[in-house]
Amino acid sequence: MATTNTAHAVGPMSERGLAASALGILATVDELPAGATGALRFGDLGVVLVESRRICWAAAVPMRLRLTDILCGKRVPPIPRATIEEVFRACKAKGRPLGESLVESGLVSESGLKSAIRQHTSEAILHLARVQAVADAFLPHTQRGYDPRFSFTSCEILASLSVADDPARAKSSELELDDVLVPESTGAAFVRSDFAPGAQIVAVAADCDVPVIDLVEVCNWATGLLDVVRAIDAQVRVIRVAWCGRTSLVTWRKYGVDYAALCSSGAAAARLVSELGRRSHGDVPPESLTRKVRGP
């Protein structure tokens, strides 16, 4: 992520209990009815805007100009604040979407805008978590105006909360998931947290829509499984588990980061195991490097 003014940024894991509170906010979004579109209100502390249960925007009381700060830092040299404010005013006068206008103007790229919105939204949720805000109402609306290119699953925002801890680790973990995952699979990268019990998710597959509580549970279980199996046989590199129904879990460890992939078919799990083996030990993983175990 590009360097920005971090004077108002919240360290994602800088306080004990912050991760659990943020997880609770994201879980509230997941618990909304399918297709839910509207505003999840946290009293007078802030709001999370949702369309079809994807997070489009979040705002907290102390963050009135934060998006402008982030956008200004998306280019080198930084974009002058006055230039962005001029686009804001023009959009308001013409009723045009701000994101579309910023991209069309060339002030920021589509990926840069998505990164800025994701950063702002993550920071807003962390502000709400810091004050232990609790949702008190969901205000539905029928207008559909958010660009899906700039909306996020709860899992994607959860992963963003850990970026500030180690941006290089988060980026390399995203690349590992992009390179390894196959069709009919999704997954996450995670580490052990010093500030909260269980796994700290540092990256997820694009558009991963597993409910955050379920994803954390899977990662916690995979952490223990990796420890136990590799204590028995240090040669094991990949573990495949029949999870439930037709779903399989494939888990592996690389450079101190653990990975868990949920595969919706046995064929997808087999392709993923084969790909992991090919990347590490040739075209087909030796049987001694892969362990199949029973799921929970």
Side-chain angles (χ1 to χ4, degrees):
M1 185 173 293
T3 302
T4 63
N5 176 5
T6 58
H8 304 291
V10 180
M13 298 300 169
S14 59
E15 299 173 9
R16 290 187 180 275
L18 189 59
S21 183
L23 183 63
I25 291 171
L26 294 171
T28 301
V29 174
D30 286 337
E31 291 164 1
L32 292 171
T37 296
L40 188 62
R41 190 183 68 186
F42 292 80
D44 58 359
L45 298 173
V47 65
V48 176
L49 302 184
V50 177
E51 183 162 317
S52 296
R53 213 162 54 184
R54 288 177 65 91
I55 297 172
C56 306
W57 180 256
V61 171
M63 297 183 66
R64 188 170 61 88
L65 298 177
R66 180 60 180 146
L67 181 61
T68 304
D69 292 337
I70 298 170
L71 287 169
C72 286
K74 285 297 173 185
R75 279 197 343 199
V76 179
I79 305 169
R81 175 181 287 273
T83 301
I84 292 181
E85 290 176 348
E86 182 179 346
V87 177
F88 273 116
R89 287 192 295 270
C91 288
K92 187 175 181 179
K94 297 178 181 179
R96 295 195 64 200
L98 173 63
E100 178 181 310
S101 298
L102 285 169
V103 173
E104 286 182 357
S105 69
L107 289 173
V108 64
S109 66
E110 183 177 311
S111 61
L113 178 61
K114 183 172 183 176
S115 172
I117 293 173
R118 184 170 177 171
Q119 181 179 343
H120 179 281
T121 297
S122 300
E123 289 183 9
I125 287 173
L126 284 167
H127 276 293
L128 294 173
R130 168 170 279 178
V131 297
Q132 298 185 340
V134 176
D136 63 356
F138 181 71
L139 309 176
H141 65 74
T142 57
Q143 296 176 344
R144 304 180 65 85
Y146 299 111
D147 191 326
R149 294 175 299 172
F150 308 122
S151 64
F152 311 93
T153 67
S154 294
C155 289
E156 290 176 309
I157 297 299
L158 178 63
S160 295
L161 306 186
S162 298
V163 168
D165 286 346
D166 192 335
R169 179 183 64 190
K171 185 61 178 178
S172 65
S173 299
E174 284 183 3
L175 291 173
E176 172 75 0
L177 289 168
D178 288 344
D179 288 345
V180 172
L181 291 179
V182 300
E184 298 185 296
S185 70
T186 190
F190 54 99
V191 296
R192 298 160 202 261
S193 173
D194 293 330
F195 299 98
Q200 176 184 339
I201 293 174
V202 298
V204 297
D207 293 322
C208 176
D209 61 355
V210 179
V212 288
I213 295 297
D214 293 345
L215 187 63
V216 171
E217 181 182 351
V218 168
C219 293
N220 285 338
W221 195 83
T223 297
L225 178 64
L226 283 163
D227 288 347
V228 170
V229 171
R230 296 191 70 181
I232 297 171
D233 185 350
Q235 284 190 308
V236 171
R237 297 290 181 269
V238 181
I239 303 170
R240 177 178 171 181
V241 183
W243 189 253
C244 61
R246 297 175 57 190
T247 302
S248 295
L249 169 67
V250 177
T251 184
W252 68 100
R253 182 172 291 161
K254 183 176 181 180
Y255 302 139
V257 177
D258 293 339
Y259 296 86
L262 290 169
C263 304
S264 58
S265 70
R271 288 196 301 271
L272 179 54
V273 169
S274 179
E275 175 63 18
L276 287 165
R278 184 190 64 78
R279 286 159 53 89
S280 299
H281 299 281
D283 291 336
V284 180
E287 187 64 26
S288 61
L289 299 177
T290 303
R291 179 65 64 92
K292 292 184 181 180
V293 299
R294 290 182 177 272

